[in-house]
Amino acid sequence: TILDFPKGYSLFTEFRLRDSVKLQDEANLNNFFELQVREFYLTAPITESIPIDLHLGRQQFFDLRRWYFTDRMDAARLSSQNGPFSLFTAVSTPVLVTNNTLQIFDNIALKKEQIDITLNLDYAMTEKSFISGYLIVGNKHQDRIELGLPRNENPIWSGVRLIGDEKLKVASSESEFFSNLLKPRIQYWLDAVLVSGTADSKKIQGLGIDLGITTIARKFSMKPYITFGYAYGSGDSNPENETDHNFRQTGFQANSGRFGGVVNFDYYGVLYNPELRNMHILTAALGIRPTERSSIELVYHRYDQDHAFARLPRDLRDGPITFSRNPDGIHSHLGDELDLVLGYRGINNVRLRSRTGYFLPGSAYGEQ
């Protein structure tokens, strides 16, 4: 619901009611009902000469590839757009309580813990190509490197992004086939970020890179496309020294996006789906669009540790698969995965999506 007030003020709210029923037996029915406050914020204009708006309350943050944030947070955010430049800065805190409550800023009011400061600047080089720079200063993040370790982290991410979607004409040819082939649509991305800061008495010093390209033969009927991607998150070769070289993502990421298809999927793998840390991920994909609003994609991933380490690459307890043991700490090849992603969006407000994956453990997990 959107409520508009005089002088440009507005209130936006979004609630979700969800009822889950688990049928076990007639004597033990499990019925779980929850009310979620998804968003609840006020928008207020600050100046007229330079358009600056204040957004105060629970709101959605996301980037185009959901790589460094896609989450609902309680925040005070200032945003401005002037020509090709778009800027926002925010002070935010994670949402702790969403069930059966209307309270916002509960992380500050109740626990006085994690607070983040974000600065993000986008420049539109063309209508569909952007270059961005961002800075995220974290305070009292939970540790996600050593599972169960209760230390606080104060990481700082300094990143740049180049992302675009352009139609090209490479050359002309007398052959209609080659002429159409040389008029591709190119989708590309490059993310590079340094993470610094402290984790208790240790210094943080890590590097993360994610780059890729999708080439779409847009002049052909089913618009076949091919994707190549590579992602790298640094690892730590010596956990005993004073510097932690493990890259870590922000904790707000979803690692979800599209290549040339019509639906989002987990582009680091439907099953393994690791956080990018101590990791090399190679990705290759083929896809077609049988109709304008449907797609079929076959995606391959190869996972290798940056430094062989006898620990899971992320906490997989909430993931789609679990492991009975850690990697052996000797071999770096974690495994390979093949995913099939089907999507259909031919009906207004309806999305049909199927994501199927097969994961084959590598030498780091032994012979089984």
Side-chain angles (χ1 to χ4, degrees), residues 8 10 19 23 33 58 61 65 70 86 88 93 98 101 118 136 159 191 228-229 237 282 313 336 356 361 363:
S10 62
D19 191 21
L23 301 177
F33 176 82
R58 181 164 298 169
F61 286 69
R65 298 189 66 244
T70 175
S86 179
F88 83 80
T93 182
T98 58
T101 179
T118 303
I136 302 174
D191 278 292
F228 294 102
S237 60
L282 290 173
D336 303 86
T356 305
S363 57

Side-chain angles (χ1 to χ4, degrees), residues 43-298:
T43 297
I46 301 300
T47 65
E48 295 183 1
S49 56
I50 301 177
I52 301 177
D53 292 327
L54 170 66
H55 310 272
L56 183 64
R58 181 164 298 169
Q59 53 197 282
Q60 175 75 56
F61 286 69
F62 69 92
D63 70 270
L64 290 175
R65 298 189 66 244
R66 278 71 171 165
W67 195 70
Y68 52 93
F69 51 61
T70 175
D71 211 343
R72 289 172 173 83
M73 290 181 267
D74 294 334
R77 173 166 56 168
L78 291 173
S79 62
S80 177
Q81 185 163 355
N82 189 3
F85 293 95
S86 179
L87 171 70
F88 83 80
T89 183
V91 177
S92 63
T93 182
V95 176
L96 291 184
V97 181
T98 58
N99 300 339
N100 307 307
T101 179
L102 298 181
Q103 184 173 357
I104 61 175
F105 292 104
D106 43 85
N107 190 22
I108 295 177
L110 298 179
K111 291 197 173 184
K112 298 185 172 76
E113 290 188 348
Q114 180 178 335
I115 296 177
D116 299 279
I117 299 174
T118 303
L119 178 67
N120 190 98
L121 176 64
D122 297 330
Y123 174 73
M125 299 180 294
T126 67
E127 185 177 348
K128 292 188 176 181
S129 293
F130 303 85
I131 187 169
S132 307
Y134 59 90
L135 179 71
I136 302 174
V137 180
N139 175 258
K140 293 188 178 180
H141 278 225
Q142 67 175 357
D143 176 70
R144 301 196 318 281
I145 302 300
E146 297 186 39
L147 303 180
L149 193 66
R151 72 184 182 187
N152 289 323
E153 295 190 356
N154 301 294
I156 301 173
W157 292 270
S158 307
V160 294
R161 159 172 288 181
L162 182 65
I163 190 167
D165 185 344
E166 300 289 346
K167 295 178 180 179
L168 302 180
K169 182 178 180 180
V170 179
S172 298
S173 172
E174 294 182 1
S175 166
E176 182 180 1
F177 175 84
F178 284 105
S179 181
N180 289 338
L181 194 64
L182 295 173
K183 297 176 183 178
R185 176 182 168 193
I186 302 294
Q187 299 174 340
Y188 62 91
W189 67 90
L190 168 63
D191 278 292
V193 58
L194 293 171
V195 59
S196 57
T198 60
D200 284 344
S201 60
K202 282 195 171 190
K203 293 181 180 179
I204 299 173
Q205 200 172 82
L207 172 65
I209 297 173
D210 187 307
L211 56 90
I213 187 170
T214 297
T215 302
I216 304 171
R218 60 186 173 91
K219 292 294 184 177
F220 293 89
S221 59
M222 290 199 293
K223 296 180 174 58
Y225 53 92
I226 185 170
T227 299
F228 294 102
Y230 169 69
Y232 163 73
S234 61
D236 191 4
S237 60
N238 184 6
E240 303 303 324
N241 65 14
E242 296 181 354
T243 302
D244 184 349
H245 291 283
N246 281 297
F247 178 71
R248 64 268 278 152
Q249 293 184 263
T250 61
F252 305 128
Q253 78 284 342
N255 295 334
S256 173
R258 303 182 195 178
F259 290 160
V262 301
V263 291
N264 281 26
F265 66 97
D266 301 312
Y267 51 67
Y268 287 161
V270 169
L271 287 178
Y272 203 59
N273 191 22
E275 178 177 339
L276 186 61
R277 178 179 74 240
N278 189 30
M279 186 83 63
H280 298 266
I281 305 175
L282 290 173
T283 298
L286 292 171
I288 57 172
R289 298 276 289 270
T291 66
E292 185 66 25
R293 303 297 292 170
S294 66
S295 59
I296 302 173
E297 298 173 82
L298 189 64

Side-chain angles (χ1 to χ4, degrees), residues 299-319:
V299 188
Y300 166 77
H301 304 283
R302 177 185 170 93
Y303 308 99
D304 290 276
Q305 287 182 317
D306 186 33
H307 297 285
F309 206 63
R311 186 177 299 142
L312 286 173
R314 57 158 272 189
D315 186 354
L316 291 170
R317 288 173 299 178
D318 298 324

Side-chain angles (χ1 to χ4, degrees), residues 27-51:
N28 189 18
L29 293 179
N30 188 336
N31 187 11
F32 178 70
F33 176 82
E34 62 180 336
L35 167 65
Q36 294 183 342
V37 183
R38 302 275 287 178
E39 295 187 82
F40 190 94
Y41 65 89
L42 175 71
T43 297
I46 301 300
T47 65
E48 295 183 1
S49 56
I50 301 177

Side-chain angles (χ1 to χ4, degrees), residues 315-329:
D315 186 354
L316 291 170
R317 288 173 299 178
D318 298 324
I321 55 177
T322 57
F323 291 82
S324 60
R325 63 176 182 267
N326 289 333
D328 59 15

